[in-house]
Amino acid sequence: MKTKNIYVILWFILIIFFTILLAKFFLQSGNISPIIEESSLNVTVNGSNMEILNAKDIYTVTESRSFKKGDNVIVSFVLPTDNYEFPTLLLSTQFVGYTVSIDDTIIYQKRIDKALDGDFLPRDICLITIPYSAYKGKELVLNMTVSQSDIKTIMNTPFFGNFDDLVRNYTRTKAVSVFLGTFMCMFGVIFLLISLFFAAKINGLSGQVRSSILCVCGGAWILTSQRLNLVFMTNNEIPAFYEYLSLYASLPIIMLLYCTICHRLHKKASVTSIIAVSLIELSFVICHLTRIRYLNMFSRPFAIMYIICLIGYMTSSFYYLRRRKASTYDKVQIAGLNTLISSLIIASVLSILDKNGARIFNNAISIIMGIGGIMFVASRIMTLMVSLHNADPMKKREMALSSLAYIDSLTGLPNRTSCDQETMKLDDNNLDYLIMSLDLNGLKEVNDSRGHSAGDELLRNFADVLNICFPDPCFKGRTGGDEFIVLLNEIPNEGYIESHIAHMNKLLEDKGKDTGFDHSVAYGYCYRHEMPQEAHSHEVYMKADERMYALKRKQHEQKKMLKESVQL
């Protein structure tokens, strides 16, 4: 890992935290009117005596110190007498349906029928507009019906103020979560696209894809667990589904990612543990869908399972690093994943400590997970940089190996394998083409008389002449020894090949004068249209080869007659 890459990552983390602080600073604006926290509530449960409690202690009124399905809870408090331009109530409830009324007049109601049917009613945050002309000093009554048993916290402290002030204050308290959740979701998508774009260059594509999905799941959980849909003005129950879906999907993905990095996917124990966790989560979902037990009741068992699995896999990763000589690439991946796991373990412990389900640590959990997520993101960027940095040398090695397989090392022309492939491609269409077979005449004599170095020079000289006389789109190749081939798929005219052959012979003659040894060549060519309609390229080549050998015999006879005449 180069030092400059580490500096890039450190700057990246610094910019992220600076952006968070900047966002917090710009959101620190004053309110038009004071926001009132209604911490003292008049509470009546199932018609029992009224008591003054705060929202988180309402369950203490019940005999079993928890609510049962169908319990009726009435909460009331007196509205302020101050003037508010847009009087609004910020109300956070869970597992209840309710009506809001002033002077026995219902001004808002939500999920009453679902509560009576015992449906799953997760946390819901609403901005309830209060009639401007009928709120000063009057009593607001919240009548709630509990939808399921064994629940302790059904509402958080309500806030009263101007609409804009409440939204601004809520956004300010969730600013870090908004940023971290949005950042992780966006990074996951962008990182996935980058990984797929560079799929041919980088190593460990499956790990990159799983990391992208994990980032999206983490970001989605942060955004949905904080019910940040309120910021975007869409009040619905869909975020609760995504909250549990992203949380349940994250554990198997983390386990798969660990197994990928530590090369344990082939281990039966690893595969069994992933399948077992997935089946347990599936059983939770089935219980929820069949209304045997809703997902919120599995929060603590799931958190305990989460901690056990993560500690086990973290320990396994340390064991892997000690036993094997892990690469820098793997070390960076494991360090980033272990940082994320540490934050998830802390978050799970805080979730277990929240015994009343009041989500008192919810914001802290989101921030801790977000910080761990940023460190994980930094490690993924670092590993991507390492992969891309190593991609060019690997590509060059692959190209070198490829050239050994398809290029003749002496002449630089395509070798026999490449020539055979190009010849077979000629049958892919019905166009006319030409195949020319060539054979050097003096290679054996030069090797015997002047050595193989001179023979190699002869072959290189002939390859240079072929490249000059038969430029692209002609294909030139060495089929072996002193044999060569020229393919032409687009023939301008009938005299095209003769003019190039004449040019070749002239250059070879000049080469012979310069070097002092024979550079002559025997050749033969055949057009596709000269052969029967059903003939293949191999048959065309054989015909060209036949004509080449006929010319070679003729040249040999002429050379023999010339030698005899000189002797006479």
Side-chain angles (χ1 to χ4, degrees):
M1 181 68 64
K2 290 189 175 182
T3 305
K4 65 177 184 180
N5 291 340
I6 298 175
Y7 286 152
V8 169
I9 300 303
L10 292 176
W11 273 109
F12 165 78
I13 297 173
L14 183 62
I15 290 171
I16 293 295
F17 284 106
F18 178 75
T19 305
I20 294 174
L21 293 175
L22 203 62
K24 292 283 287 184
F25 174 77
F26 280 113
L27 288 171
Q28 294 293 336
S29 58
N31 297 322
I32 299 174
S33 301
I35 295 177
I36 299 174
E37 182 179 358
E38 303 290 353
S39 56
S40 297
L41 306 173
N42 300 317
V43 180
T44 301
V45 178
N46 295 328
S48 62
N49 295 331
M50 182 182 295
E51 295 189 28
I52 299 178
L53 300 167
N54 58 38
K56 67 178 182 179
D57 294 330
I58 295 177
Y59 74 94
T60 58
V61 179
T62 63
E63 294 181 2
S64 60
R65 298 185 68 81
S66 65
F67 294 104
K68 293 182 173 55
K69 177 183 175 182
D71 280 351
N72 177 249
V73 182
I74 298 176
V75 173
S76 63
F77 56 89
V78 178
L79 296 173
T81 57
D82 299 334
N83 287 322
Y84 286 85
E85 188 175 356
F86 298 104
T88 305
L89 178 69
L90 176 62
L91 185 62
S92 174
T93 62
Q94 57 184 5
F95 314 119
V96 294
Y98 59 89
T99 62
V100 179
S101 59
I102 298 178
D103 287 342
D104 297 327
T105 301
I106 295 176
I107 62 172
Y108 188 84
Q109 64 178 8
K110 191 169 188 179
R111 310 195 296 189
I112 291 294
D113 294 337
K114 292 183 178 180
L116 294 173
D117 291 339
D119 289 351
F120 177 61
L121 302 179
R123 188 183 180 207
D124 179 74
I125 301 176
C126 279
L127 288 166
I128 303 171
T129 303
I130 306 298
Y132 179 76
S133 59
Y135 78 88
K136 294 182 180 180
K138 294 186 179 179
E139 186 179 49
L140 183 143
V141 178
L142 179 64
N143 194 327
M144 296 179 286
T145 301
V146 181
S147 63
Q148 64 184 88
S149 300
D150 301 323
I151 299 297
K152 290 190 175 183
T153 302
I154 58 174
M155 67 177 294
N156 293 326
T157 302
F159 291 87
F160 182 87
N162 270 319
F163 180 89
D164 292 341
D165 292 338
L166 289 172
V167 172
R168 190 183 303 111
N169 184 67
Y170 187 84
T171 305
R172 183 165 57 243
T173 59
K174 308 295 183 182
V176 177
S177 298
V178 171
F179 178 83
L180 294 175
T182 305
F183 172 78
M184 289 188 66
C185 286
M186 291 180 63
F187 174 81
V189 174
I190 294 172
F191 189 71
L192 176 62
L193 295 176
I194 292 175
S195 299
L196 294 177
F197 182 79
F198 291 106
K201 285 189 173 183
I202 61 177
N203 290 323
L205 178 62
S206 60
Q208 307 283 19
V209 171
R210 288 165 187 156
S211 298
S212 302
I213 298 173
L214 182 59
C215 285
V216 173
C217 288
W221 185 88
I222 291 174
L223 292 173
T224 54
S225 67
Q226 294 295 320
R227 293 300 184 267
L228 295 172
N229 55 305
L230 175 71
V231 178
F232 307 106
M233 307 312 298
T234 54
N235 291 321
N236 52 58
E237 297 174 10
I238 295 177
F241 172 77
Y242 289 127
E243 176 186 356
Y244 287 104
L245 178 65
S246 56
L247 187 63
Y248 279 33
S250 63
L251 184 55
I253 293 172
I254 291 173
M255 296 168 73
L256 274 172
L257 194 54
Y258 257 125
C259 291
T260 302
I261 297 172
C262 298
H263 310 286
R264 293 185 58 85
L265 279 176
H266 64 285
K267 299 288 186 181
K268 185 179 292 186
S270 300
V271 176
T272 303
S273 63
I274 295 172
I275 294 174
V277 167
S278 301
L279 290 176
I280 291 172
E281 292 181 341
L282 181 61
S283 67
F284 291 167
V285 174
I286 292 174
C287 288
H288 176 83
L289 295 176
T290 55
R291 302 177 68 166
I292 297 174
R293 195 174 180 87
Y294 289 126
L295 287 175
N296 63 291
M297 305 305 295
F298 295 113
S299 296
R300 296 190 72 190
F302 180 77
I304 294 171
M305 181 177 72
Y306 215 93
I307 293 172
I308 293 173
C309 291
L310 296 184
I311 290 177
Y313 272 84
M314 184 183 289
T315 305
S316 176
S317 69
F318 290 135
Y319 183 67
Y320 167 80
L321 291 175
R322 290 188 63 183
R323 283 197 60 188
R324 298 186 58 171
K325 189 177 181 181
S327 63
T328 304
Y329 182 84
D330 286 345
K331 288 179 181 178
V332 173
Q333 289 191 97
I334 291 174
L337 192 54
N338 281 343
T339 303
L340 175 63
I341 295 311
S342 299
S343 67
L344 291 175
I345 291 174
I346 296 172
S348 299
V349 171
L350 291 177
S351 177
I352 293 173
L353 293 176
D354 185 15
K355 298 180 180 180
N356 297 335
R359 294 179 177 244
I360 54 177
F361 302 116
N362 209 31
N363 204 33
I365 290 173
S366 297
I367 294 173
I368 291 170
M369 287 181 61
I371 293 173
I374 286 179
M375 302 303 294
F376 176 70
V377 165
S379 73
R380 301 317 299 174
I381 294 175
M382 195 176 293
T383 54
L384 182 62
M385 292 171 67
V386 171
S387 295
L388 293 177
H389 179 266
N390 295 334
D392 288 338
M394 291 176 61
K395 194 69 177 178
K396 289 178 181 178
R397 286 195 294 270
E398 290 175 2
M399 291 176 65
L401 292 173
S402 178
S403 66
L404 291 175
Y406 295 102
I407 301 298
D408 177 57
S409 59
L410 179 61
T411 63
L413 295 174
N415 60 14
R416 185 178 187 86
T417 302
S418 185
C419 292
D420 290 342
Q421 290 179 353
E422 291 296 322
T423 303
M424 287 188 292
K425 287 180 183 178
L426 296 173
D427 292 325
D428 293 342
N429 56 64
N430 296 321
L431 298 175
D432 192 19
Y433 57 82
L434 174 142
I435 298 179
M436 181 163 64
S437 176
L438 305 100
D439 190 289
L440 279 171
N441 288 323
L443 180 61
K444 186 176 184 305
E445 290 79 1
V446 171
N447 282 334
D448 292 342
S449 61
R450 301 197 181 189
H452 286 280
S453 60
D456 292 345
E457 183 182 354
L458 173 60
L459 290 169
R460 284 192 291 267
N461 289 340
F462 183 66
D464 293 340
V465 170
L466 281 182
N467 285 322
I468 295 172
C469 297
F470 299 96
D472 294 338
C474 293
F475 174 85
K476 296 82 61 180
R478 182 186 179 194
T479 56
D482 54 4
E483 298 177 355
F484 294 81
I485 192 173
V486 173
L487 308 177
L488 182 58
N489 203 11
E490 299 177 5
I491 305 169
N493 53 66
E494 287 289 339
Y496 176 85
I497 193 67
E498 284 79 5
S499 64
H500 284 71
I501 291 174
H503 187 205
M504 176 185 68
N505 287 331
K506 177 66 172 59
L507 291 180
L508 290 176
E509 184 179 351
D510 293 341
K511 287 281 187 181
K513 292 177 182 179
D514 294 339
T515 59
F517 48 85
D518 186 14
H519 274 69
S520 66
V521 62
Y523 59 87
Y525 59 87
C526 179
Y527 291 95
R528 171 67 182 83
H529 66 259
E530 298 181 68
M531 302 297 290
Q533 186 68 29
E534 66 278 2
H536 297 291
S537 58
H538 179 70
E539 297 173 71
V540 179
Y541 173 72
M542 294 304 294
K543 188 65 176 179
D545 207 44
E546 179 185 328
R547 292 173 178 176
M548 180 273 291
Y549 278 111
L551 179 59
K552 192 174 186 69
R553 286 192 295 270
K554 183 178 179 181
Q555 290 173 338
H556 181 70
E557 291 174 1
Q558 290 175 347
K559 185 177 180 181
K560 184 178 179 182
M561 291 175 60
L562 180 61
K563 186 177 181 180
E564 289 176 352
S565 64
V566 170
Q567 289 177 349
L568 292 174

